[in-house]
Amino acid sequence: MTTAVWFRKNLRVHDNAALTAAADAKQILPLFCLDPAWATPVTVGPNRCRFLLESLEDLDATLEAKYGARLHVVVGDPEQTIAKLFKEGTVTDIVFEGEVCEPRELELEQRIMKAHPQATMLPSTHLLYDIDEALTKGNPPTKMPGMVKLAGKLGAPAKPLPAPATLPPTAPVTCTLPTLQSLGYDSIIKDAAYGVKGGETSGLSRLREQMGRENGSWARAFEKPKTTPASWAGDSPTTLLSPYVAFGCVSARMFYAELKQVYAKGAHAQPPTSLLGQLYFREMSSLLGRFHGASFDQQPSAVCKDIDWDADAEAAKRLHAWDEGRTGYPLIDAAMRQLREQGWIHHLARHAVACFLTRGDLYVHWQRGRDVFDRDLLDADWAINNFNWLALSGVAPWSPPFFRVYNPVPTVTSSLNVRDPQGLYVDRFVPELKGLPAKHKYAPWLAPLSDLNKAGVKLGVSYPRPLVDHKTRSKENIARFKEAQRRAKEAKEAAAPSSKKRKAGA
DNA sequence: GGATCCGTTGTAGCT
DNA sequence: AAGCTACAACGGATC
């Protein structure tokens, strides 16, 4: 009698409902299914895959040290892997946590439950709140005041489950962890942003380190818009805990519990900008993702206007240049190159590149950008990624007004808050501009020819000229967006006339 | 049911 | 230097 404990987005021993439930089993098989269809270099970048493998390695080590158990990692289709384990008699039972909203995972678990009726699917520990309970309180909020109100109704999140004291013996299985090479990755990037390494061990130690930063006053004072996107090393501007939370190395409830302790010791910032606000945004994204289901990542939908994004060969070229950091706008290019190299960029850099790709400059479909983020971000999360691309491209009810476009050339007053007078961020990620005077670093096309020559910069050759002219393009795009919106409204009105129309007609 | 309020993060130009 | 305004104007929640 062996119970498989299927690890999914909970790569940890703390706050793990499945592992906790397995404490009563006769024998267990800790299991992770690595779907090779998921982990391809095209869909999941090497850095993100590396973080996963490190997390699995750490989980295996923790299981062995704490319980004398080992993690059985199988590279293959999860459904088939589990079916085979049952068929061979390796396992007789399975326990796992349900997914909160990602459609492919929800579909997968439905197939598993159908094929193995004895399986136990437990409520997820992925969020602060039980998602089903949260959704009984009405439609999920789309703005932070609504989320704060909902949190008030739901009360304090449950305390994180402690790691089990003991576990039953592990089934005797030999297993070796896959490597990036064995999964078909050839460009192996070793250094993530700020050296974040996957796994519960480094995740929990990073959590404690960040909560203890400046004796807790840093976490209490934290306000995201005040941090700068021109960051890549040294003290991180944000906690950089998001990759750990995304893969479940650190549970949101554990994060919340530690944060509450720090908050208890003094005055602290409030949502939306505070650290708690960040956990609330994550919660809100998942609630909305669950509520809208598979349409959440589509256009058009109940939460996505039908905008006529460019989709011709020219647009494909612009997308490619954006993806590779060759737009000719150093801020955009530095951020996109950092994303590839480090698997992380600051929140405001995400705003800058997302606005630039979509409504601001290139007028490319937000789904294209979303897929690039999904590939490269260590903290990629289906609900959060879609929520934010819907927001930044201007199509969602929770979007900022579409005509508020970020300037890709940082200024002192810009809300992108770049604050990089020496242009060090550009130097680090766009080294071909290194010799330029600092004042031209973010707009090399404005530099006098003598400066360009001195720096060895040949615009259009060693570094691209601006792909589009921001001032004229953003104006045109705003007009196009407005027109698309007007058409959509008209179509809606024609389908279901409202009293407004009658009034207008009278 | 209509009016009003407000939303984590716009920019440029002015005082 | 912080704070105002013009630009052009969405849509959900609330009263």
Side-chain angles (χ1 to χ4, degrees):
Chain A
M1 298 296 281
T2 302
T3 303
V5 182
W6 181 23
F7 288 85
R8 303 176 75 193
K9 291 176 182 172
N10 52 354
L11 304 180
R12 56 176 182 260
V13 298
H14 77 273
D15 207 10
N16 187 320
L19 197 63
T20 304
D24 297 331
K26 281 230 155 45
Q27 187 168 261
I28 60 165
L29 178 70
L31 172 71
F32 184 83
C33 301
L34 209 168
D35 188 348
W38 176 83
T40 73
V42 177
T43 52
V44 172
N47 237 334
R48 192 175 166 210
C49 193
R50 176 189 56 80
F51 192 93
L52 169 66
L53 295 182
E54 287 168 353
S55 300
L56 295 175
E57 203 176 321
D58 180 65
L59 181 58
D60 180 45
T62 302
L63 286 170
E64 186 169 31
K66 243 182 148 89
Y67 311 107
R70 294 299 300 270
L71 181 67
H72 188 44
V73 177
V74 183
V75 177
D77 174 76
E79 193 183 355
Q80 288 170 20
T81 299
I82 289 165
K84 191 163 168 244
L85 289 170
F86 272 99
K87 203 172 167 199
E88 287 171 345
T90 312
V91 304
T92 49
D93 203 355
I94 186 167
V95 59
F96 60 93
E97 292 185 18
E99 164 67 24
V100 288
C101 60
E102 188 174 354
R104 53 168 270 150
E105 292 293 326
L106 290 172
E107 287 160 18
L108 170 64
E109 71 195 19
Q110 284 314 309
R111 294 197 301 272
I112 302 281
M113 290 307 289
K114 211 173 163 193
H116 312 287
Q118 71 271 55
T120 307
M121 184 163 78
L122 300 163
S124 174
T125 58
H126 198 62
L127 300 179
L128 295 176
Y129 296 106
D130 180 87
I131 196 155
D132 293 316
E133 193 196 341
L135 288 173
T136 61
K137 306 290 178 189
N139 285 5
T142 60
K143 305 274 172 64
M144 192 46 62
M147 182 61 223
V148 171
K149 197 180 263 182
L150 175 61
K153 279 188 208 165
L154 291 165
K159 287 203 179 79
L161 299 164
T166 58
L167 285 178
T170 318
V173 230
T174 53
C175 62
T176 46
L177 287 168
T179 63
L180 282 166
Q181 289 89 338
S182 75
L183 291 168
Y185 289 84
D186 53 5
S187 73
I188 310 301
I189 301 169
K190 287 206 178 96
D191 298 313
Y194 303 95
V196 295
K197 186 174 184 272
E200 180 181 19
T201 306
S202 44
L204 288 178
S205 90
R206 185 163 192 105
L207 174 62
R208 281 171 199 133
E209 184 189 317
Q210 296 298 317
M211 294 302 104
R213 210 162 151 179
E214 292 167 30
N215 229 351
S217 60
W218 182 84
R220 285 193 292 273
F222 183 92
E223 290 188 80
K224 191 137 83 181
K226 292 187 177 165
T227 58
T228 178
S231 344
W232 67 94
D235 276 345
S236 56
T238 57
T239 64
L240 255 96
L241 283 163
S242 54
Y244 297 101
V245 177
F247 278 104
C249 303
V250 172
S251 87
R253 302 193 301 198
M254 179 61 96
F255 194 157
Y256 179 89
E258 298 272 323
L259 182 61
K260 270 283 142 159
Q261 279 190 23
V262 175
Y263 274 1
K265 288 183 188 143
H268 55 83
Q270 296 295 327
T273 56
S274 66
L275 277 178
L276 179 58
Q278 309 316 303
L279 288 174
Y280 280 177
F281 270 115
R282 174 177 183 271
E283 199 81 4
M284 201 162 76
S285 303
S286 294
L287 293 175
L288 284 162
R290 171 62 163 267
F291 185 75
H292 293 286
S295 77
F296 195 58
D297 63 8
Q298 300 298 314
Q299 176 179 316
S301 77
V303 290
C304 179
K305 292 174 192 165
D306 201 6
I307 300 299
D308 57 334
W309 306 109
D310 284 336
D312 56 358
E314 271 308 304
K317 263 190 205 161
R318 296 201 296 269
L319 167 65
H320 197 49
W322 175 84
D323 187 7
E324 294 193 324
R326 293 187 283 102
T327 67
Y329 284 91
L331 175 65
I332 304 300
D333 294 342
M336 291 307 293
R337 295 185 199 183
Q338 179 183 21
L339 173 61
R340 277 229 186 169
E341 184 184 322
Q342 302 194 321
W344 177 88
I345 51 177
H346 183 271
H347 181 69
L348 288 170
R350 301 181 194 198
H351 277 223
V353 300
C355 181
F356 187 88
L357 178 71
T358 57
R359 70 181 206 274
D361 296 83
L362 303 187
Y363 220 71
V364 170
H365 204 303
W366 59 273
Q367 291 174 342
R368 304 290 83 73
R370 173 202 64 195
D371 293 342
V372 168
F373 274 25
D374 195 52
R375 181 192 70 204
D376 287 345
L377 281 172
L378 299 180
D379 58 28
D381 171 286
W382 181 83
I384 299 173
N385 201 20
N386 280 296
F387 174 89
N388 281 316
W389 276 95
L390 287 163
L392 265 296
S393 62
V395 297
W398 55 87
S399 294
F402 64 87
F403 49 85
R404 284 190 191 163
V405 171
Y406 289 106
N407 187 346
V409 181
T411 61
V412 187
T413 52
S414 166
S415 58
L416 288 175
N417 203 24
V418 173
R419 293 182 318 204
D420 180 24
Q422 297 183 69
L424 300 176
Y425 185 59
V426 176
D427 286 350
R428 171 62 178 80
F429 293 104
V430 191
E432 59 264 44
L433 298 175
K434 210 161 190 171
L436 277 182
K439 64 172 176 178
H440 298 307
K441 208 85 86 171
Y442 282 96
W445 62 93
L446 296 177
L449 198 57
S450 59
D451 281 345
L452 289 168
N453 287 339
K454 219 186 291 170
V457 177
K458 205 156 183 200
L459 286 183
V461 181
S462 67
Y463 183 73
R465 289 179 196 284
L467 194 56
V468 294
D469 177 65
H470 172 69
K471 273 228 161 71
T472 54
R473 275 305 291 249
S474 58
K475 268 214 181 79
E476 288 166 18
N477 290 348
I478 287 169
R480 280 184 70 178
F481 201 105
K482 190 169 132 188
E483 175 59 18
Q485 211 167 245
R486 193 195 59 75
R487 275 201 307 271
K489 217 177 207 172
E490 209 175 71
K492 202 175 158 191
E493 195 71 12
S498 75
S499 59
K500 245 183 205 162
K501 197 193 166 193
R502 288 197 299 273
K503 192 177 151 195

Short mmCIF file of all heavy atoms in Angstrom, two decimals, chain A residues 149 305 397 402-403 482 485 489, chain C residues 7-14:
data_model
loop_
_atom_site.label_atom_id
_atom_site.label_comp_id
_atom_site.label_asym_id
_atom_site.label_seq_id
_atom_site.Cartn_x
_atom_site.Cartn_y
_atom_site.Cartn_z
N LYS A 149 -11.32 45.15 1.04
CA LYS A 149 -12.65 44.91 1.62
C LYS A 149 -12.93 43.41 1.74
O LYS A 149 -13.41 42.93 2.77
CB LYS A 149 -13.70 45.59 0.74
CG LYS A 149 -15.02 45.79 1.43
CD LYS A 149 -16.02 46.45 0.51
CE LYS A 149 -16.11 47.94 0.71
NZ LYS A 149 -17.12 48.57 -0.18
N LYS A 305 -11.11 44.09 -24.09
CA LYS A 305 -11.64 44.76 -25.27
C LYS A 305 -11.01 44.19 -26.54
O LYS A 305 -9.85 43.79 -26.53
CB LYS A 305 -11.31 46.25 -25.21
CG LYS A 305 -12.03 46.99 -24.13
CD LYS A 305 -11.52 48.42 -24.07
CE LYS A 305 -12.01 49.10 -22.82
NZ LYS A 305 -11.27 50.33 -22.56
N PRO A 397 -10.95 46.08 -17.55
CA PRO A 397 -11.62 47.06 -16.68
C PRO A 397 -10.68 47.60 -15.60
O PRO A 397 -10.94 48.67 -15.07
CB PRO A 397 -12.76 46.26 -16.04
CG PRO A 397 -12.95 45.08 -16.92
CD PRO A 397 -11.63 44.79 -17.53
N PHE A 402 -6.20 54.26 -21.19
CA PHE A 402 -5.29 53.83 -22.26
C PHE A 402 -4.38 54.95 -22.78
O PHE A 402 -3.33 54.72 -23.35
CB PHE A 402 -6.08 53.22 -23.43
CG PHE A 402 -6.99 54.21 -24.11
CD1 PHE A 402 -6.50 55.00 -25.14
CD2 PHE A 402 -8.31 54.35 -23.72
CE1 PHE A 402 -7.33 55.92 -25.77
CE2 PHE A 402 -9.14 55.26 -24.35
CZ PHE A 402 -8.65 56.06 -25.36
N PHE A 403 -4.84 56.22 -22.58
CA PHE A 403 -4.04 57.32 -23.13
C PHE A 403 -2.90 57.75 -22.22
O PHE A 403 -2.13 58.62 -22.57
CB PHE A 403 -4.94 58.52 -23.43
CG PHE A 403 -5.84 58.90 -22.29
CD1 PHE A 403 -5.37 59.73 -21.28
CD2 PHE A 403 -7.13 58.39 -22.20
CE1 PHE A 403 -6.19 60.06 -20.21
CE2 PHE A 403 -7.95 58.73 -21.14
CZ PHE A 403 -7.48 59.56 -20.14
N LYS A 482 -8.69 54.36 -29.34
CA LYS A 482 -9.95 55.05 -29.10
C LYS A 482 -10.99 54.62 -30.12
O LYS A 482 -12.15 54.35 -29.79
CB LYS A 482 -9.68 56.56 -29.20
CG LYS A 482 -10.81 57.44 -28.75
CD LYS A 482 -10.29 58.85 -28.66
CE LYS A 482 -11.23 59.83 -29.33
NZ LYS A 482 -10.63 61.17 -29.41
N GLN A 485 -12.16 51.08 -29.58
CA GLN A 485 -13.05 51.07 -28.44
C GLN A 485 -14.45 51.55 -28.83
O GLN A 485 -15.45 50.99 -28.42
CB GLN A 485 -12.45 52.01 -27.41
CG GLN A 485 -12.71 51.66 -25.99
CD GLN A 485 -11.82 52.47 -25.08
OE1 GLN A 485 -10.98 51.92 -24.41
NE2 GLN A 485 -11.99 53.76 -25.05
N LYS A 489 -17.94 49.44 -28.74
CA LYS A 489 -19.09 49.95 -28.00
C LYS A 489 -20.32 49.99 -28.90
O LYS A 489 -21.42 49.63 -28.50
CB LYS A 489 -18.75 51.36 -27.49
CG LYS A 489 -19.31 51.65 -26.12
CD LYS A 489 -18.87 53.01 -25.69
CE LYS A 489 -18.79 53.12 -24.18
NZ LYS A 489 -18.19 54.36 -23.73
P DC C 7 -6.67 71.62 -22.96
OP1 DC C 7 -6.47 72.45 -24.14
OP2 DC C 7 -7.99 71.55 -22.30
"O5'" DC C 7 -6.22 70.14 -23.31
"C5'" DC C 7 -4.97 69.92 -23.95
"C4'" DC C 7 -4.59 68.48 -23.83
"O4'" DC C 7 -4.29 68.18 -22.46
"C3'" DC C 7 -5.72 67.47 -24.15
"O3'" DC C 7 -5.64 67.10 -25.51
"C2'" DC C 7 -5.41 66.28 -23.26
"C1'" DC C 7 -4.29 66.78 -22.36
N1 DC C 7 -4.49 66.38 -20.94
C2 DC C 7 -3.54 65.57 -20.33
O2 DC C 7 -2.56 65.20 -20.98
N3 DC C 7 -3.73 65.19 -19.04
C4 DC C 7 -4.81 65.60 -18.38
N4 DC C 7 -4.93 65.20 -17.13
C5 DC C 7 -5.78 66.45 -18.99
C6 DC C 7 -5.59 66.80 -20.26
P DA C 8 -7.00 66.84 -26.32
OP1 DA C 8 -6.65 66.60 -27.72
OP2 DA C 8 -7.97 67.87 -25.95
"O5'" DA C 8 -7.48 65.47 -25.69
"C5'" DA C 8 -6.77 64.26 -25.96
"C4'" DA C 8 -7.50 63.15 -25.25
"O4'" DA C 8 -7.51 63.44 -23.84
"C3'" DA C 8 -8.96 63.01 -25.68
"O3'" DA C 8 -9.30 61.65 -25.75
"C2'" DA C 8 -9.72 63.74 -24.59
"C1'" DA C 8 -8.85 63.49 -23.37
N9 DA C 8 -8.93 64.57 -22.39
C8 DA C 8 -9.18 65.91 -22.61
N7 DA C 8 -9.19 66.63 -21.51
C5 DA C 8 -8.90 65.70 -20.51
C6 DA C 8 -8.77 65.81 -19.12
N6 DA C 8 -8.89 66.97 -18.47
N1 DA C 8 -8.49 64.69 -18.43
C2 DA C 8 -8.36 63.54 -19.08
N3 DA C 8 -8.46 63.31 -20.39
C4 DA C 8 -8.74 64.44 -21.04
P DA C 9 -10.77 61.26 -26.17
OP1 DA C 9 -10.58 60.17 -27.12
OP2 DA C 9 -11.57 62.43 -26.51
"O5'" DA C 9 -11.33 60.65 -24.82
"C5'" DA C 9 -10.54 59.72 -24.09
"C4'" DA C 9 -11.12 59.57 -22.73
"O4'" DA C 9 -10.87 60.73 -21.94
"C3'" DA C 9 -12.66 59.41 -22.73
"O3'" DA C 9 -12.94 58.13 -22.24
"C2'" DA C 9 -13.16 60.47 -21.76
"C1'" DA C 9 -11.90 60.80 -20.98
N9 DA C 9 -11.90 62.13 -20.41
C8 DA C 9 -12.19 63.32 -21.02
N7 DA C 9 -12.09 64.36 -20.22
C5 DA C 9 -11.72 63.81 -19.01
C6 DA C 9 -11.46 64.37 -17.75
N6 DA C 9 -11.54 65.67 -17.51
N1 DA C 9 -11.10 63.53 -16.76
C2 DA C 9 -11.02 62.22 -17.01
N3 DA C 9 -11.23 61.58 -18.14
C4 DA C 9 -11.59 62.44 -19.10
P DC C 10 -14.27 57.38 -22.71
OP1 DC C 10 -14.28 57.33 -24.18
OP2 DC C 10 -15.41 57.94 -21.98
"O5'" DC C 10 -14.02 55.90 -22.18
"C5'" DC C 10 -12.80 55.23 -22.52
"C4'" DC C 10 -12.53 54.22 -21.42
"O4'" DC C 10 -11.97 54.90 -20.28
"C3'" DC C 10 -13.81 53.54 -20.94
"O3'" DC C 10 -13.60 52.15 -21.00
"C2'" DC C 10 -14.02 54.02 -19.52
"C1'" DC C 10 -12.62 54.47 -19.12
N1 DC C 10 -12.58 55.62 -18.16
C2 DC C 10 -12.20 55.40 -16.83
O2 DC C 10 -11.94 54.25 -16.48
N3 DC C 10 -12.15 56.44 -15.98
C4 DC C 10 -12.44 57.67 -16.40
N4 DC C 10 -12.37 58.67 -15.53
C5 DC C 10 -12.82 57.92 -17.76
C6 DC C 10 -12.88 56.88 -18.60
P DG C 11 -14.82 51.15 -21.18
OP1 DG C 11 -14.31 49.90 -21.75
OP2 DG C 11 -15.95 51.88 -21.79
"O5'" DG C 11 -15.21 50.87 -19.65
"C5'" DG C 11 -14.43 49.99 -18.86
"C4'" DG C 11 -14.97 50.06 -17.46
"O4'" DG C 11 -14.73 51.37 -16.92
"C3'" DG C 11 -16.48 49.85 -17.35
"O3'" DG C 11 -16.73 49.12 -16.17
"C2'" DG C 11 -17.02 51.26 -17.20
"C1'" DG C 11 -15.92 51.82 -16.31
N9 DG C 11 -15.87 53.26 -16.20
C8 DG C 11 -16.33 54.20 -17.10
N7 DG C 11 -16.13 55.43 -16.68
C5 DG C 11 -15.50 55.29 -15.45
C6 DG C 11 -15.04 56.25 -14.52
O6 DG C 11 -15.10 57.48 -14.62
N1 DG C 11 -14.46 55.66 -13.40
C2 DG C 11 -14.33 54.31 -13.19
N2 DG C 11 -13.76 53.93 -12.06
N3 DG C 11 -14.76 53.40 -14.05
C4 DG C 11 -15.33 53.96 -15.15
P DG C 12 -17.25 47.65 -16.24
OP1 DG C 12 -16.30 46.85 -17.01
OP2 DG C 12 -18.66 47.69 -16.62
"O5'" DG C 12 -17.14 47.23 -14.71
"C5'" DG C 12 -15.87 47.22 -14.08
"C4'" DG C 12 -16.00 47.66 -12.64
"O4'" DG C 12 -16.02 49.10 -12.57
"C3'" DG C 12 -17.26 47.16 -11.94
"O3'" DG C 12 -16.84 46.72 -10.65
"C2'" DG C 12 -18.16 48.39 -11.88
"C1'" DG C 12 -17.15 49.53 -11.82
N9 DG C 12 -17.55 50.79 -12.44
C8 DG C 12 -18.18 50.97 -13.64
N7 DG C 12 -18.39 52.23 -13.94
C5 DG C 12 -17.87 52.93 -12.86
C6 DG C 12 -17.80 54.32 -12.61
O6 DG C 12 -18.20 55.24 -13.32
N1 DG C 12 -17.19 54.60 -11.40
C2 DG C 12 -16.70 53.65 -10.52
N2 DG C 12 -16.15 54.11 -9.40
N3 DG C 12 -16.75 52.35 -10.74
C4 DG C 12 -17.35 52.05 -11.92
P DA C 13 -17.90 46.15 -9.61
OP1 DA C 13 -17.18 45.08 -8.88
OP2 DA C 13 -19.19 45.88 -10.26
"O5'" DA C 13 -18.06 47.40 -8.65
"C5'" DA C 13 -16.92 47.92 -7.98
"C4'" DA C 13 -17.35 49.02 -7.06
"O4'" DA C 13 -17.69 50.19 -7.85
"C3'" DA C 13 -18.58 48.70 -6.20
"O3'" DA C 13 -18.28 49.07 -4.87
"C2'" DA C 13 -19.72 49.50 -6.84
"C1'" DA C 13 -18.96 50.69 -7.45
N9 DA C 13 -19.56 51.27 -8.65
C8 DA C 13 -20.07 50.60 -9.73
N7 DA C 13 -20.51 51.39 -10.68
C5 DA C 13 -20.28 52.67 -10.20
C6 DA C 13 -20.54 53.95 -10.73
N6 DA C 13 -21.09 54.17 -11.92
N1 DA C 13 -20.18 55.02 -9.97
C2 DA C 13 -19.62 54.82 -8.78
N3 DA C 13 -19.33 53.66 -8.17
C4 DA C 13 -19.70 52.61 -8.95
P DT C 14 -19.33 48.81 -3.71
OP1 DT C 14 -18.54 48.45 -2.53
OP2 DT C 14 -20.42 47.92 -4.21
"O5'" DT C 14 -19.95 50.25 -3.49
"C5'" DT C 14 -19.09 51.39 -3.47
"C4'" DT C 14 -19.92 52.65 -3.48
"O4'" DT C 14 -20.33 52.96 -4.83
"C3'" DT C 14 -21.20 52.56 -2.63
"O3'" DT C 14 -21.22 53.64 -1.73
"C2'" DT C 14 -22.33 52.67 -3.66
"C1'" DT C 14 -21.65 53.46 -4.78
N1 DT C 14 -22.23 53.28 -6.14
C2 DT C 14 -22.48 54.40 -6.90
O2 DT C 14 -22.28 55.54 -6.51
N3 DT C 14 -23.01 54.13 -8.14
C4 DT C 14 -23.28 52.90 -8.68
O4 DT C 14 -23.75 52.80 -9.80
C5 DT C 14 -22.99 51.77 -7.83
C7 DT C 14 -23.27 50.38 -8.32
C6 DT C 14 -22.49 52.01 -6.61
#
